[in-house]
Amino acid sequence: MSIKKISVENFTVFEKLDIDFSKGINVFIGENGTGKTHIIKLLYSACQAVRKDISFSHKLVKVFKPDDLKISRLVRKNPGDLGANIKVISESAAISTKFSKLTKKWDAEVFSEEKWERQLGDLTSTFIPAKEILSNAWNLEAAVDKNNVDFDDTYVDIVTSAKIDITSGRDTTDRKKYLAILQKITTGKVTIEKEKFYLIKPGNQAKIEFQLVAEGIRKIALLWQLIKNGTLEKGSILFWDEPEANINPVHIPVIVEMLLELQRNGVQIFIATHDYIFAKYFEVKRKAADDVMFFSLYESPNGVQCERNIYFKDIKKNSIVKAFNALLDEVYDKNLGE
Amino acid sequence: MAGTIHKEENQVYQFDFSSAVWSTDKLNSLFNNTVASILSDVDFVAETDSDILFVEYKNSNIASASNPNAFVPSSDKSTLKIAYKFYDSYIYIQACGHKKPYRYIYILEYPMGDSTTRKMIRNKIASKLPFQLQTDGDIKQQIISSFEVLSIDEWNNNPLYSKFPISSA
């Protein structure tokens, strides 16, 4: 099960944009405000809507969290006051939604939701948000429900994803291999007790609450947990927003290798990143049979557009490379004594 | 104009210096025959309206490259070699009496290369070239005016070098 394409019209920063995806790893780059996170949140909302108890339009609102939960606030400001149109297409079905400035609350029109639920009902999808949240997991869902804190659904959902166990039986060889690699970095196993996450150290079995673990390590521990509990299996989809945040660069090649392995085992992955090292490692570590595609989102007079290339180095509008090159040029000029 | 079209050693690409004042690819054989190759040579030297260009070309992206991953252009060994090529070629070109500013261009193509890695390599090699040296008060003339590391595409689109296009042979 994979997502093939998205079509977006008049939604936040997008005027009209169609993007075809790879069934493997899709890496989004672009400056702040070019909608990288919005695209992956849209796709995530559609993936979650395969569940009968989740409505696509309600999920959009809970993931984007516009004021007063008004979906009309997500319509892009345009002179003709045209409404927003979103369509997400997979191999066997498509789901779409339409709403305008006049749409009440979160009641957008949704099309083909039943077929989408029927064809993709078994799909597991996970969104790892940019800020690490498991350390604040205790009672998060209840606090959000009571409106005591204002986290969007990606934060609530990841806590749930991390807690559940949907494995059947013992760890497969592949799973054991991944867990061993990640455990070398975290130096411990994840466990949950009374709704709180801990890291259990080998040897003395010391139990360390997540709040006391370094943020970068918590992220890798989360990946460990999602692999352990069966969330990232063949046919599932992973969305990861800014995976590089708080990670020691020395661990980035391990994470990239892990994601490539997951892709080889049938997980479709969408990543939004600002990091040269992260993006470049996909290029360096990929093998000929790996499916990796880069998408650069950039502003234009007709809203945000997308440049797509199988090679990071061949992307022309590359904001990451632009920033790194500017620094390297300054270093160079300084060394020349100018 | 008396420049020439030169083919590189693998015969895959050619460098069209026909609109240069003169050009040469003879340094390698000259150094082999006269100084037992203890001097290292750049592939091409050419005179333009404003400069003397020292051009070194390395390409492990071609189909016939025997082991492209063995070539590590950012390594200490590789970057030193590129620096030496300038110094050694400079002796000869200086002795020929060529007075225009000397620009050194390293044209580099390799599988993982991008503009950022080329700039990193540029910065590493530049620290070994005489930019800082020539600020010494006793030196009377500029030794090097610029150093760049460019892909074939970047060379062909550069306003200074596009008149001397690189194309398939």
Side-chain angles (χ1 to χ4, degrees), chain A residues 128-169:
Chain A
I128 305 180
K131 287 185 256 305
E132 192 281 313
I133 194 66
L134 260 52
S135 49
N136 303 108
W138 182 72
N139 236 12
L140 181 73
E141 205 171 348
V144 169
D145 267 349
K146 286 202 167 66
N147 266 331
N148 285 347
V149 288
D150 200 15
F151 283 106
D152 70 56
D153 258 20
T154 59
Y155 289 96
V156 178
D157 292 351
I158 190 61
V159 170
T160 314
S161 296
K163 281 188 199 165
I164 56 168
D165 186 346
I166 53 176
T167 52
S168 45

Side-chain angles (χ1 to χ4, degrees), chain B residues 71-127:
Chain B
F71 174 49
V72 182
S74 55
S75 69
D76 288 348
K77 185 173 162 192
S78 252
T79 51
L80 255 182
K81 252 195 199 167
I82 301 298
Y84 280 133
K85 281 174 182 281
F86 176 76
Y87 288 108
D88 292 355
S89 305
Y90 174 88
I91 293 174
Y92 172 69
I93 298 295
Q94 249 283 298
C96 291
H98 296 299
K99 297 266 184 259
K100 289 177 180 167
Y102 291 0
R103 290 187 180 276
Y104 185 21
I105 306 103
Y106 179 22
I107 299 170
L108 175 62
E109 293 276 358
Y110 66 110
M112 287 298 118
D114 64 28
S115 63
T116 305
T117 59
R118 282 191 291 278
K119 282 186 194 273
M120 289 179 190
I121 291 165
R122 172 199 65 181
N123 289 10
K124 190 167 179 181
I125 298 172
S127 66

Side-chain angles (χ1 to χ4, degrees), chain A residues 22-259:
Chain A
S22 138
K23 62 179 177 6
I25 301 180
N26 299 274
V27 183
F28 285 89
I29 66 172
E31 297 188 34
N32 287 337
T34 52
K36 304 185 290 301
T37 302
H38 283 192
I39 290 284
I40 59 175
K41 277 186 165 179
L42 276 174
L43 295 171
Y44 173 66
S45 306
C47 288
Q48 286 285 299
V50 305
R51 287 174 47 170
K52 290 195 184 346
D53 59 340
I54 295 185
S55 127
F56 186 26
S57 84
H58 294 189
K59 192 65 179 178
L60 275 176
V61 164
K62 290 176 77 178
V63 160
F64 282 87
K65 277 250 160 148
D67 280 349
D68 300 321
L69 301 177
K70 280 186 173 169
I71 203 167
S72 56
R73 292 184 62 73
L74 299 175
V75 178
R76 174 179 159 82
K77 308 226 178 320
N78 65 85
D81 268 346
L82 300 167
N85 262 307
I86 298 157
K87 189 168 184 179
V88 177
I89 302 160
S90 84
E91 291 110 340
S92 49
I95 189 168
S96 57
T97 182
K98 241 161 103 150
F99 50 93
S100 73
K101 284 172 67 171
L102 302 172
T103 304
K104 297 253 179 293
K105 208 181 161 198
W106 54 19
D107 295 331
E109 277 188 274
V110 179
F111 305 92
S112 311
E113 193 155 18
E114 273 186 41
K115 183 173 181 195
W116 181 258
E117 286 167 5
R118 218 171 37 244
Q119 298 282 32
L120 298 158
D122 288 336
L123 175 65
T124 306
S125 56
T126 311
F127 188 109
I128 305 180
K131 287 185 256 305
E132 192 281 313
I133 194 66
L134 260 52
S135 49
N136 303 108
W138 182 72
N139 236 12
L140 181 73
E141 205 171 348
V144 169
D145 267 349
K146 286 202 167 66
N147 266 331
N148 285 347
V149 288
D150 200 15
F151 283 106
D152 70 56
D153 258 20
T154 59
Y155 289 96
V156 178
D157 292 351
I158 190 61
V159 170
T160 314
S161 296
K163 281 188 199 165
I164 56 168
D165 186 346
I166 53 176
T167 52
S168 45
R170 302 161 70 176
D171 289 335
T172 58
T173 323
D174 274 336
R175 203 188 290 154
K176 279 200 185 118
K177 188 174 73 181
Y178 305 151
L179 296 177
I181 294 168
L182 294 177
Q183 220 162 292
K184 271 212 188 103
I185 304 174
T186 60
T187 65
K189 294 182 182 196
V190 177
T191 189
I192 304 156
E193 211 172 286
K194 294 195 180 122
E195 305 284 303
K196 283 177 146 189
F197 286 86
Y198 296 87
L199 205 60
I200 303 268
K201 293 292 195 173
N204 62 3
Q205 300 295 300
K207 198 173 76 179
I208 305 176
E209 47 272 59
F210 250 44
Q211 294 93 304
L212 298 182
V213 173
E215 182 147 354
I217 300 291
R218 281 184 244 151
K219 265 208 179 170
I220 295 169
L222 168 61
L223 193 59
W224 185 98
Q225 176 66 354
L226 295 174
I227 292 172
K228 176 89 179 135
N229 72 9
T231 307
L232 296 176
E233 298 279 293
K234 182 180 161 98
S236 66
I237 303 184
L238 171 65
F239 301 91
W240 202 346
D241 197 6
E242 293 185 30
E244 69 273 10
N246 304 114
I247 300 276
N248 184 329
V250 101
H251 299 318
I252 288 176
V254 175
I255 296 175
V256 167
E257 191 63 77
M258 184 89 11
L259 293 172

Side-chain angles (χ1 to χ4, degrees), chain A residues 10 13-17 76 298-305:
Chain A
N10 298 316
V13 296
F14 303 104
E15 187 178 297
K16 181 155 172 49
L17 185 61
R76 174 179 159 82
Y298 60 94
E299 286 190 27
S300 86
N302 319 351
V304 167
Q305 296 298 314

Side-chain angles (χ1 to χ4, degrees), chain B residues 16-31:
Chain B
D16 186 351
F17 285 109
S18 45
S19 49
V21 175
W22 56 264
S23 68
T24 182
D25 61 354
K26 77 172 191 183
L27 265 64
N28 181 258
S29 54
L30 181 64
F31 290 169

